[in-house]
Amino acid sequence: MDRTLSRRVLLGALAAGTLAACAPSGGPPPSTQNENADGLTTDDGVKDVTFTSWSMNEAASKAQLQELLDAYKSSAGVTIKTPSYPYNDYLKQVILQLQGGQVAGAVQLDVTWVASLGAMGKLADLAPLAKDVRYTEAGLKVGQYDGKQVGLPWTHGAIGLVGNSELIERAGITTEPETLEDFEAALTELKGLGGGVVPYAAMTKVANLKDIVVWMWTFGSPVVEDGKIVVGDEPSVEALTWYKGLYDKGLIGKDMDRFDARALFGQGKVGLYDDAAPARKFVSANATDPKIGEKLVAWKRPVLKAGDQPQAMAWGHVLAVVAGGEGEYAAGQFVKHLTSDADTAITYFKSAGYPPTTQQALENPTFTGDPFASSFVEKVTATSKSDPLWVYPQSAQLYETLAKQVQAILIGDATPKQGLETAREAMQKLVG
Amino acid sequence: MTSTLTAPAPSRSRSAAARSRRRRPIDKGKLLAWLTIVLVGAFALLPVYWMLVTAVRPAGEVFQFPPKLLPTSVTFAHFQSFVSDPKLLGYLLNSVVVSVATAVLTLAVATYTAYSFSKFRYRGRSSLMYLVLASQMFPHALLLITLYLLFNAFGLLNSYLGLVLSFTAFTMPLCIWMLKGVFDTIPDAMIEQAKVDGAGRFTIIHRIVLPVAAPGVVAAGLFAFIRGWNDFIFALTLAGPDKQTLPPGLVNTYVGEFQTAWPALMAASLIVSVPVIVGFVSLQRYLVAGLAGGAVKG
């Protein structure tokens, strides 16, 4: 067990929530991934699996997941320990524990953290486990770092526009808007409903303002190009000018994060907002309208010009395995089962709303027969892509820097050009 | 005769007094002061009130818009779910164990150190005192990393001992300075007198000084207890899943990636604040005396 620990790495991890301190400048560091896959493919006889996660404590998934784990325990004859940390502190804790050699076995990861954890070189390359499974191409991709499959996709989708069909209908919107112009017109119709309805509960609080990246893509900014941050280019400035326009016209909510948006949506006070594929579960949990889940519809994100490709940010969870040490084989089998067994994936989807990641499960009638889930896959997930900022171990800091400037723009403390240029300079400094 | 002449007098006098009371002009200054107190009090108590009504509201009502000051229906299900969850009760037990142990260990060390700083004159005393204070200036994240490294090397991670030692490390400096202030208020003449009477150092500290300094010691102990009770990040990082205390335990249980169980979290927070409130109320007289007696003079 590696007990050496870099003070610099840990300080960076704790203070900033990223592995900034251990990353060389200029982009992702070279991989030190464990090349030896023997531990994954040769049974060492260990029957104990440790599964570090946050989902085992989440109200949305805990009970359902426990059932799946119990089923696996009896079928595979293993014991499963489930240490967990709160989602918001999870990355820092896992980095610390991983560096301190305190964590082993299977580890749940958000797709946005794959690079941070992959850069540490302590996760096993799971390619041998993935080769005979029909995972979706996009799903596999979000689990890759530096050419290695450091995580197997557990649930995969995107963050896209979801709407309240009842409000949309009441506002007289009969066709899904294609362009930004149509979209703005639809929002104006929704605003006309009155009664405190927020037409578009877009993110305006720093915590979730990273969503702005999707709108920058929509206007044509790549955000990162040839290893350089290009925030502040003409398309991104146009995107912010447009976004600020919606803000000033009262078409998007003020001081809103995803928690607020979901809560208000559950009260029937939001026309549209951005959320991940299992949105139905989240908005139904505390809703006053018991039928809100049935009213949920997925919309393609509007585009700048008719015919452009709608943009969406990939979203999902992957399962990784800590390389080396006892129980690597058992952890690998567990990860493979949880991510690829069709019955398990469909059960998880049915009970918790998390979309599966294998072709077999996606073709299952239970999934295809769900109108919201299947239309979300078709309209949102299909064109989703990973954020180029994820490849930087400092992505959390990059997002925070960008979000602060976007907020300054929204409240009028900076012009879109000034704010984004300030953001670009600070972001570029962070990545070297 | 006399009685008939004198009997009505008190009645007249009482009614005159009543009229006078009625006519007494309102003291505007006092009224303003009371109004200010009521307003500030209401402002300070509003979060507590909101916590309470959130804890007894059904989940669907929590996000009602516009929000309502009074719940339309009341439920105690959230309190019930806390007390019936063995995992949460385990966190509670861990909190009690480490907070009490932290208070005891902090007092055991801080009392003697503070006494030494206050009543003995030796070389380097002043530097040592400021060194102790300077340790408070390190960012907690840095202290945490140092402790993580040490505990990892000594196998103290995920143990009560590690947690108690870490809490003690950051409560100690302030407690030493609090207690030094208390001991400074005890006249040296009292100690000299005890010496003349033949008392040894042990007797002087335990029989003469500590009883006099008791309010200050209680105040310092309560501070150490609360610090241990409320800590989040040290407990989350050093305790591991089995020895986690309430703050990380509650966050782990109720705050998720996609949603926060506000009513349950508020109910749990109310329950866990009870020991601290009880501690404050029952030790209030010591606390006030301790603070007034120099515990915060530094």
Side-chain angles (χ1 to χ4, degrees), chain B residues 214-254:
Chain B
V217 174
V218 170
L222 204 55
F223 166 77
F225 177 88
I226 292 170
R227 191 70 182 81
W229 188 263
N230 288 339
D231 174 81
F232 172 78
I233 192 71
F234 276 61
L236 178 69
T237 309
L238 304 172
D242 297 335
K243 300 290 189 291
Q244 248 171 38
T245 56
L246 275 166
L250 293 184
V251 173
N252 214 2
T253 308
Y254 297 124

Side-chain angles (χ1 to χ4, degrees), chain B residues 37-260:
Chain B
I37 289 169
V38 169
L39 278 175
V40 171
F43 181 74
L45 288 175
L46 188 65
V48 180
Y49 171 75
W50 202 249
M51 195 170 162
L52 185 68
V53 292
T54 306
V56 296
R57 271 189 169 129
E61 269 187 37
V62 173
F63 295 105
Q64 250 177 353
F65 188 82
K68 286 182 183 159
L69 265 179
L70 290 170
T72 49
S73 56
V74 168
T75 173
F76 293 101
H78 309 303
F79 292 93
Q80 215 170 355
S81 73
F82 179 91
V83 293
S84 60
D85 187 336
K87 211 170 172 184
L88 288 171
L89 295 176
Y91 295 143
L92 180 66
L93 178 70
N94 291 341
S95 271
V96 171
V97 170
V98 296
S99 302
V100 169
T102 299
V104 170
L105 184 62
T106 301
L107 286 184
V109 181
T111 305
Y112 297 109
T113 313
Y115 183 76
S116 150
F117 285 159
S118 175
K119 299 299 177 195
F120 296 111
R121 299 287 173 268
Y122 49 89
R123 227 173 146 164
R125 182 183 73 111
S126 214
S127 311
L128 210 55
M129 276 165 53
Y130 285 106
L131 191 69
V132 165
L133 192 64
S135 67
Q136 283 289 83
M137 292 165 194
F138 290 112
H140 271 182
L142 189 66
L143 203 57
L144 179 58
I145 294 160
T146 312
L147 288 172
Y148 187 90
L149 288 163
L150 277 172
F151 290 174
N152 195 29
F154 289 111
L156 285 174
L157 287 175
N158 312 333
S159 69
Y160 283 137
L161 182 60
L163 213 49
V164 171
L165 286 175
S166 69
F167 289 166
T168 305
F170 57 69
T171 53
M172 185 80 75
L174 205 59
C175 284
I176 289 173
W177 274 81
M178 283 170 81
L179 288 169
K180 183 190 169 295
V182 174
F183 292 137
D184 283 349
T185 62
I186 297 171
D188 289 348
M190 189 192 276
I191 296 166
E192 293 306 320
Q193 186 61 51
K195 276 185 191 165
V196 170
D197 290 345
R201 276 183 185 166
F202 185 87
T203 309
I204 290 171
I205 294 173
H206 296 99
R207 298 261 175 94
I208 313 284
V209 176
L210 280 183
V212 179
V217 174
V218 170
L222 204 55
F223 166 77
F225 177 88
I226 292 170
R227 191 70 182 81
W229 188 263
N230 288 339
D231 174 81
F232 172 78
I233 192 71
F234 276 61
L236 178 69
T237 309
L238 304 172
D242 297 335
K243 300 290 189 291
Q244 248 171 38
T245 56
L246 275 166
L250 293 184
V251 173
N252 214 2
T253 308
Y254 297 124
V255 182
E257 179 188 3
F258 301 113
Q259 51 204 343
T260 300

Side-chain angles (χ1 to χ4, degrees), chain A residues 265-320:
Chain A
F265 194 93
Q267 312 296 311
K269 298 279 184 187
V270 165
L272 294 150
Y273 81 106
D274 295 286
D275 208 345
R280 192 168 37 193
K281 288 279 172 187
F282 315 146
V283 295
S284 302
N286 296 314
T288 46
D289 178 356
K291 294 197 168 172
I292 194 78
E294 296 164 27
K295 295 173 185 169
L296 220 61
V297 287
W299 269 12
K300 278 184 181 171
R301 193 172 297 276
V303 293
L304 191 60
K305 297 190 301 290
D308 284 357
Q309 178 170 286
Q311 303 294 326
M313 180 77 74
W315 166 90
H317 305 156
V318 302
L319 297 183

Side-chain angles (χ1 to χ4, degrees), chain A residues 20 24 39 48 78-79 105 138 187 272 282-283 287 347 358 371:
Chain A
D48 303 318
V78 295
T79 63
L187 295 185
L272 294 150
F282 315 146
V283 295
T347 306
T358 61

